[in-house]
């Protein structure tokens, strides 16, 4: 019977409305039962099968069921919408205790860091910071430093020539000349900066950094030089690193000495880093050769001086125990961010 069928459809629709767990499923149920092509509409169409006198009552019945279903739908819809809003709010909740987004912060290159530290130590001893050009006249890089044209010392520093009269400076020592031309003695100056040599392996890089120091005064001795360097090395590396002076030769100093530090990796026992000797060379030093003073019109009978020039990468390698000098210029962020 059609009335019975109407009851069945009603019960199914009611169950579907109650069972819907989200608004989407609920809406699908609405379309299935209450929609234009839905099951209640089909019932209305089937009404023609009934005798005429029964039709109004059947129509009323179906309409009542429809109204009832519509209000059930509305109730369920409100309920589900509220639930959905609540879960959405719960999921979107701001947790004020969460850390903010991480930004990658830049930092100083380890070489800059080491230069600043060295500068800081020597500034405390009264040294001012000086600088000079990276492209030097041959005269500043060599001749004024008592390295004449055919001197073998020129071959030792594999030089990048710009033209026959200009070079990429092979050391920071030419800044000694610029400073002596500029300053009136007595004075103390340091000059950190890049230098260039045509050379590359684990312990040599074509561009690296040096820090030059120059002191000019009335009476200056090797004892002053040794005392200054020993103090500086202790301040920079800590008291466990020892210093040693080896007699050497540089055309611009007389006498000259090379400065070694005890190897921080093997603690002086001998390893690959120090080539088994237990010591690592950090640079050269000496008393300023009177011939250099003459070049810049400083009277050697009145003034004396000491100078030293250290490799900055060398010092960083010793301080941080790094095995390959080329890491400093490879720009690998994993290496750089360790400092
Ligand atoms: N300029 C030298 C070099 O690069 C190092 C050096 C030696 C610097 C002795 C000095 C010095 O100031 O006195 O090999």
């Amino acid at each position: 019977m059609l009335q019975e069928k109407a009851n069945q459809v009603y019960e199914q629709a009611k169950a579907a409305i109650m069972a819907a767990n989200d608004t989407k499923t609920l809406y699908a149920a609405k379309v299935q039962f209450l929609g234009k092509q839905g099951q209640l509409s089909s019932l209305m169409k089937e009404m023609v099968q009934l005798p005429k006198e029964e039709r109004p009552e059947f129509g009323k019945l179906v309409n009542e069921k429809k109204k009832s279903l519509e209000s059930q739908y509305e109730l369920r819809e409100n309920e589900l919408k509220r639930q959905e809003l609540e879960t959405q709010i719960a999921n979107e909740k701001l947790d004020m205790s969460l850390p903010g987004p991480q930004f990658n912060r830049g930092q100083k290159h380890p070489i800059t860091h080491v230069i600043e530290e060295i500068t800081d130590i020597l500034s405390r001893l009264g040294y001012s910071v000086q600088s000079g050009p990276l492209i030097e006249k041959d005269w500043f890089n060599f001749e004024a430093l008592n390295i004449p044209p055919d001197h073998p010392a020129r071959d030792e520093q594999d030089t990048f020539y710009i033209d026959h009269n200009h070079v990429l400076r092979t050391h920071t020592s030419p800044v000694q000349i610029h400073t002596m031309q500029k300053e009136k003695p007595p004075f103390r100056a340091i000059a950190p900066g890049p230098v260039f040599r045509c050379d590359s392996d684990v312990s040599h890089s074509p561009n690296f950094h040096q820090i030059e120091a120059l002191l000019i005064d009335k009476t200056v001795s090797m004892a002053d030089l040794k005392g200054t360097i020993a103090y500086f090395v202790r301040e920079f590396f800590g008291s466990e690193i020892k210093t040693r002076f080896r007699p050497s030769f540089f055309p611009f100093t007389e006498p000259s000495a090379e400065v070694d530090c005890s190897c921080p990796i093997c603690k002086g026992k001998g390893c690959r880093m120090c080539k088994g000797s237990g010591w690592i060379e950090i640079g050269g030093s000496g008393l300023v050769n009177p011939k250099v003073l003459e070049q810049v019109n400083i009277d050697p009978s009145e003034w004396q001086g000491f100078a030293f020039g250290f490799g900055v990468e060398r010092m960083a390698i010793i301080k941080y125990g790094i095995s390959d000098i080329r890491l400093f210029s490879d720009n690998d962020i994993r290496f750089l961010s360790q400092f």
Side-chain angles (χ1 to χ4, degrees), residues 179-192:
T179 307
M180 288 189 282
Q181 284 184 335
K182 230 171 40 200
E183 304 281 320
K184 262 185 162 307
F187 60 81
R188 301 161 188 208
I190 48 173

Side-chain angles (χ1 to χ4, degrees), residues 157 170-174 176 197 208 210-213 250 252-253 256-257 283-287 306-310:
Q157 304 191 350
T170 57
H171 50 176
T172 42
S173 299
Q176 288 190 31
R197 289 188 201 178
F208 57 105
Q210 286 186 337
I211 184 149
E212 194 79 15
F250 297 100
F252 36 94
T253 43
S256 304
S285 67
L287 295 187
F306 71 59
F308 58 90
F310 291 167

Side-chain angles (χ1 to χ4, degrees), residues 28 68 75 127 136 153 159 166 175 181 186 190 200 221 251 253 281 304 324 327:
S68 158
L75 277 175
Y127 288 76
E136 271 294 6
T159 312
H166 292 88
V175 188
Q181 284 184 335
I190 48 173
S200 181
S221 71
T253 43
E281 184 191 321
Q304 297 179 311
D324 188 337
L327 285 166

